Each structure stands twice: as C-alpha cells, then as structure tokens.
Amino acid sequence: MNTSTKIKPMPLSERLQRLDKLRPAHPEFPKCAVQALAETPISVFLAGFKDARDELAYLLDIDIADLEQMNYAQLAASIHPFWLRRREYIIADNATSLLASPYIYIENLPRKGDGDERRKIVP
C-alpha cells in the first residue's frame, strides 16, 4: 500500500465539522482510499466471489493464475480496451459488472433504519 501521502495536521474542531458535513475528516482520505483500492490484489478483492472471478478470466481471456496476480488497477486497465472497440463494449460492460460484485453484494444487504438516526457531532 502506498504510504507516501502525508496527512496535514488539522484542529480537532475542524475535523469534527468536516465529519458533521459528511465529508472525510482529512482531505487526503479520498486519494488514499482510491490508491488502496487500485493496489488491492484481485485475489483479495474477489475472494468471496469465485464465480465472478472465473467469469472475468473467461471474458477477458486471462488465465486465472495470471488474474490472481493482478491488482484492481491492472484488471481495470485490461477491461478498458474493450470499451474502445465498438463491437466489444458488451464484454467491457459485463466485465465491469463482475468486477463490481462485492459492491453489488454490499448494496443489497438489508439495512437497519433509514440513516436518519445519524448521530450529530457537535464540536
């Protein structure tokens, strides 16, 4: 994981205000989160989604052993050329959906409440 991003000191009151506005406490967080996702090994990211992994390997014509050695950014980059070829966009569309399997699973989990019970943080 890339640890080169330095978190700038910020007063607690300012961080709490940011959180109260549903923003990250530190402005550096989104960049770090995207970098962490990009560097996540596909073997970890799709660990609970073997069928999606196998279908991705088939669709993209990548050996499963090779796919397991890739990270999220590398796999996403291998999908991109299919978007550029007009007749193969369906492959890219399906591959993108398969790559999103963990997110789709999480989105479909039952939720408690409707989110209105969020605790307000007052500095």
Side-chain angles (χ1 to χ4, degrees), residues 2 6 30 39-40 55 60 86 91 95:
N2 187 342
K6 302 291 183 207
E39 295 169 1
T40 301
E55 194 169 341
L60 301 174
R86 185 179 185 110
I91 292 172

Side-chain angles (χ1 to χ4, degrees), residues 3-121:
T3 57
S4 64
T5 303
K6 302 291 183 207
I7 296 177
K8 298 175 187 98
M10 181 184 293
L12 178 60
S13 61
E14 190 175 334
R15 287 183 291 173
L16 290 173
Q17 287 173 358
R18 290 176 61 84
L19 289 171
D20 193 43
K21 295 177 183 173
L22 301 177
R23 294 172 47 207
H26 290 278
E28 300 86 0
F29 176 77
K31 178 183 175 188
C32 291
V34 170
Q35 284 177 330
L37 173 62
E39 295 169 1
T40 301
I42 288 300
S43 60
V44 172
F45 187 75
L46 294 177
F49 302 89
K50 185 178 179 289
D51 292 343
R53 182 207 61 193
D54 294 350
E55 194 169 341
L56 262 170
Y58 174 78
L59 270 176
L60 301 174
D61 195 25
I62 299 173
D63 186 73
I64 289 180
D66 293 336
L67 186 130
E68 290 276 322
Q69 297 300 314
M70 299 170 84
N71 63 31
Y72 189 95
Q74 292 167 326
L75 186 57
S78 70
I79 293 171
H80 180 62
F82 291 98
W83 286 114
L84 303 176
R85 295 184 211 121
R86 185 179 185 110
R87 292 184 202 122
E88 295 179 356
Y89 74 92
I90 194 78
I91 292 172
D93 188 43
N94 288 336
T96 302
S97 294
L98 290 165
L99 189 56
S101 294
Y103 297 115
I104 293 167
Y105 172 78
I106 291 169
E107 183 63 27
N108 291 326
L109 288 174
R111 292 195 169 95
K112 289 184 179 180
D114 59 1
D116 289 337
E117 298 114 13
R118 182 177 67 86
R119 194 171 138 216
K120 186 147 178 94
I121 301 172

